Amino acid sequence: MVKSINLQELLSSQFAQRVLHPQLWFLTADDLASAAERLAPEIEEFWKSLESSEESLPLSALSGSRFQHTFMMLYGFAIENLCKGHAVKELSPKEQQTVKRGKLPKRLKTHDLVNLVTEGIGLTIDDHEKELLKRLKKAVKWAGRYPVSADLMDKGKNGIRDILLNMPGGINNDDLQRTRELTNRIRNQVGA
C-alpha cells in the first residue's frame, strides 16, 4: 500500500530544511553581491565622469547614479542573508519549531541591518558604518525598488516631515567601496 503524502507537510519540511541551512543563506548573499557587482562599473564610471567633467554631463552618464540605490539594495540583502545565516545556527528550539511549521521567527523577518549586525552577529561598528547600514536599510525597504516609500503617506500630521526625513540620504562616491568592506567584515564575522 502506498502511503499518502500530505503536501503541506512536504512543503513545510522543504521550507525548514532550506531555512535552517546556514550555507544556503551565505550562498544567496554571494549571489546578491555578485549581481550588485555587475552594476558597479557603470556607477564607478559615473563618479569618474563627475570628477573629470567641468561641463554638464550627458544624460546617459546619469544612469550610473540611478543604479547606485539598486547596488546598495542588493548588498543590503546580502548583509541580511549573512546575518540571518548566522542567526539560524543559534535559533532556540521554539524558533526551530516555528520554522518546521512553515513560518519564520521574528528575528528572520527584519530588515534592521544595524541590529542584525551589532546584536545579531556582535560586530562592533563605528558611526560611519552605522549611517551606511541605515542607508542600506532604506535601499532594501524601498529606495532600491521604488521611487518613494509606500508607507510614508500613512503618517498623518507628520506626513510631510516624515517624507522628507525618509527620502534617500543621498549617494556618495565611496559608497561602493565602504559597502564592500563592511560586507567583507560581516562575512568574516559569521564565518561565511
Side-chain angles (χ1 to χ4, degrees):
M1 174 178 243
V2 176
K3 184 178 178 184
S4 170
I5 297 175
N6 181 324
L7 184 57
Q8 184 61 42
E9 285 178 19
L10 179 64
L11 292 174
S12 293
S13 173
Q14 291 295 316
F15 175 81
Q17 286 177 16
R18 295 188 65 77
V19 169
L20 297 173
H21 195 298
Q23 200 60 36
L24 292 177
W25 292 89
F26 298 153
L27 288 172
T28 301
D30 290 344
D31 290 347
L32 290 160
S34 180
E37 288 302 326
R38 292 175 187 247
L39 301 173
E42 197 162 340
I43 299 166
E44 290 164 341
E45 189 58 39
F46 163 74
W47 287 106
K48 284 180 191 171
S49 67
L50 281 182
E51 293 169 3
S52 64
S53 177
E54 293 183 18
E55 298 177 23
S56 62
L57 293 172
L59 191 56
S60 62
L62 296 177
S63 65
S65 67
R66 288 188 4 249
F67 294 145
Q68 192 152 339
H69 288 300
T70 306
F71 174 95
M72 294 180 74
M73 175 193 68
L74 292 168
Y75 261 100
F77 281 132
I79 289 169
E80 265 192 40
N81 274 271
L82 289 169
C83 294
K84 291 174 181 181
H86 174 78
V88 300
K89 294 187 278 186
E90 299 181 344
L91 291 178
S92 70
K94 182 179 178 182
E95 289 172 314
Q96 289 178 24
Q97 285 303 331
T98 299
V99 172
K100 289 176 182 175
R101 287 191 309 273
K103 298 188 186 288
L104 290 175
K106 184 177 178 182
R107 71 164 126 171
L108 296 181
K109 290 183 181 180
T110 184
H111 295 298
D112 186 347
L113 297 178
V114 172
N115 189 54
L116 283 168
V117 169
T118 59
E119 301 297 321
I121 67 168
L123 185 67
T124 302
I125 58 172
D126 63 27
D127 289 341
H128 295 291
E129 291 170 324
K130 186 176 183 178
E131 173 271 331
L132 178 61
L133 286 170
K134 287 180 178 180
R135 289 192 301 117
L136 287 165
K137 177 184 174 183
K138 284 182 185 177
V140 163
K141 287 188 76 172
W142 69 271
R145 303 186 289 164
Y146 311 120
V148 68
S149 177
D151 64 344
L152 290 176
M153 299 314 287
D154 298 330
K155 300 291 185 185
K157 281 185 179 179
N158 293 326
I160 293 173
R161 178 180 165 271
D162 287 344
I163 288 170
L164 295 174
L165 290 175
N166 284 293
M167 294 306 274
I171 55 177
N172 299 309
N173 64 346
D174 64 346
D175 280 346
L176 277 66
Q177 191 56 36
R178 289 177 57 218
T179 300
R180 290 172 178 134
E181 290 168 1
L182 180 57
T183 303
N184 285 333
R185 285 186 59 218
I186 293 165
R187 183 175 276 114
N188 290 336
Q189 181 79 7
V190 302

